[in-house]
Amino acid sequence: MDIYNTNTLIDEQTGNLAFKLSEFESSCQFCDTHRLNYYSLIWIKKGRGTAQVDFSEYTFTPNTLIAVTPYQPFAFTEEEPLEGVVLNFHPDFFCIHKHHEQVACNGVLFNNIYSPPMLCVTVDMAQSFELVLEQMYAEVQKSELAQYELLVSYLKIFLITASRAKAKQQPEALEGTPEEKEPFILQKLKNLIETHYKTMHSAGEYADLLNISPKALAKMTKNHFNKTMTNLISERIIIEAKRELYLTNKTVKEIAYDLGYDDEHYFSRFFKNNADISPKTYRETVGFARAAMA
């Protein structure tokens, strides 16, 4: 792994990474699966390949921005050597949930189970990103008064710019839809999942609500979201579980019950199978104990 020009801030209270900005150039920078306890924004400037994120695989080309949440597993298979920039920040440094109204990146840039976790970086965006990154590089090395406030301001600009771009690019994914009725069904499916994910955990229940066969629903979700219905439901549950573990002091048993699981141990196994980490460890490294200080 070749990484250069790395700038890192460490949380003095926890000893954990708070903020990191680094450039990379490597023949296999992200070949192994990564599960990090902070957010990652990976700007692929050069190179191409495929990204495995959670349950799905996506093709990327030069000038692609990939957004990954804490403990979301990801790995890249390179067709050409990659060059780019990685921006990492811990939820304690900047919480996208608490500042959703200011930045609105949650559900767009991060935690959107219906769209690829990436977007195309246009020429104009690249220029904007370069300016903000240059300011970040300069500020992270100063250790002067109000350093945190300035870095957060620059981070907000980066997140807002990326979120706006992705919000504009997302509708393009439906332009090639072969049947006019499918976008309506897909939107209805999204609404149903959002309404019932805490009580309905099986694909068949949603197929019944949509009055279509489970097989037809499975084909539709695979074609449009590159995921199975089980993937979509599981990811939505895990996103909410992580939010609860981070923002509240509820016990794992209480969170499990709120999400429709009577058996705390079954829920813990479900969480670990999908997040590759236990609810307890997630809370200890990302969650409520330090969220109160953020």
Side-chain angles (χ1 to χ4, degrees):
M1 178 186 299
D2 299 318
I3 298 181
Y4 60 91
N5 199 13
T6 298
N7 297 271
T8 304
L9 292 182
I10 301 298
D11 188 323
E12 294 181 357
Q13 292 181 312
T14 65
N16 294 329
L17 180 144
F19 177 91
K20 184 169 82 169
L21 188 59
S22 58
E23 297 177 357
F24 64 86
E25 180 178 356
S26 168
S27 59
C28 194
Q29 170 68 31
F30 301 104
C31 290
D32 297 327
T33 299
H34 290 61
R35 295 178 181 86
L36 309 173
N37 69 327
Y38 39 79
Y39 292 94
S40 298
L41 291 162
I42 306 166
W43 179 11
I44 307 294
K45 294 185 176 182
K46 295 182 180 180
R48 62 185 69 239
T50 55
Q52 183 77 33
V53 183
D54 282 327
F55 307 103
S56 303
E57 190 173 273
Y58 309 95
T59 300
F60 62 82
T61 55
N63 277 314
T64 296
L65 182 70
I66 300 174
V68 185
T69 60
Y71 289 110
Q72 187 174 24
F74 70 96
F76 298 165
T77 301
E78 300 180 5
E79 295 177 9
E80 298 174 1
L82 306 182
E83 293 182 21
V85 178
V86 184
L87 173 58
N88 303 119
F89 62 96
H90 194 278
D92 287 353
F93 183 81
F94 183 76
C95 178
I96 66 170
H97 298 289
K98 291 181 179 179
H99 301 283
H100 177 68
E101 291 186 2
Q102 300 173 21
V103 180
C105 62
N106 187 40
V108 180
L109 196 59
F110 300 106
N111 293 324
N112 187 329
I113 65 176
Y114 303 107
S115 69
M118 58 180 63
L119 65 145
C120 174
V121 179
T122 64
V123 174
D124 289 341
M125 282 179 61
Q127 292 175 346
S128 297
F129 284 168
E130 292 288 8
L131 288 173
V132 175
L133 291 173
E134 184 178 340
Q135 291 172 311
M136 286 181 176
Y137 276 123
E139 187 59 35
V140 78
Q141 297 176 43
K142 290 181 179 179
S143 298
E144 294 184 359
L145 182 68
Q147 181 191 50
Y148 167 80
E149 284 74 13
L150 263 181
L151 283 174
V152 167
S153 296
Y154 296 145
L155 178 60
K156 286 180 179 179
I157 293 171
F158 195 99
L159 292 173
I160 291 170
T161 302
S163 297
R164 285 177 176 177
K166 190 177 182 187
K168 290 179 180 178
Q169 292 175 19
Q170 282 177 346
E172 298 172 5
L174 293 178
E175 286 183 358
T177 303
E179 295 182 19
E180 292 184 359
K181 67 175 183 177
E182 286 192 349
F184 173 75
I185 292 178
L186 291 173
Q187 186 58 56
K188 189 174 181 181
L189 172 63
K190 293 179 184 180
N191 293 339
L192 289 173
I193 291 176
E194 194 61 31
T195 302
H196 299 293
Y197 72 90
K198 293 182 180 180
T199 56
M200 295 184 177
H201 299 164
S202 72
E205 291 174 298
Y206 292 93
D208 290 341
L209 290 175
L210 291 168
N211 293 317
I212 61 175
S213 69
K215 186 176 181 180
L217 181 58
K219 183 178 179 180
M220 191 179 301
T221 55
K222 188 65 177 177
N223 287 341
H224 289 271
F225 303 130
N226 195 30
K227 297 177 182 180
T228 66
M229 268 300 298
T230 299
N231 293 158
L232 291 174
I233 299 165
S234 298
E235 286 183 32
R236 185 62 188 89
I237 294 170
I238 293 298
I239 286 172
E240 183 63 17
K242 287 180 175 179
R243 191 189 71 83
E244 291 287 303
L245 287 166
Y246 180 76
L247 291 177
T248 77
N249 62 351
K250 292 181 182 178
T251 65
V252 174
K253 184 175 182 179
E254 289 174 320
I255 294 172
Y257 184 79
D258 288 346
L259 293 172
Y261 295 89
D262 294 327
D263 187 336
E264 173 190 351
H265 300 293
Y266 178 86
F267 170 76
S268 293
R269 289 195 299 271
F270 167 80
F271 187 96
K272 188 169 184 178
N273 287 339
N274 285 276
D276 204 49
I277 186 173
S278 70
K280 180 176 181 294
T281 303
Y282 183 87
R283 168 165 276 167
E284 288 173 349
T285 54
V286 178
F288 180 77
R290 292 191 314 284
M293 301 186 295

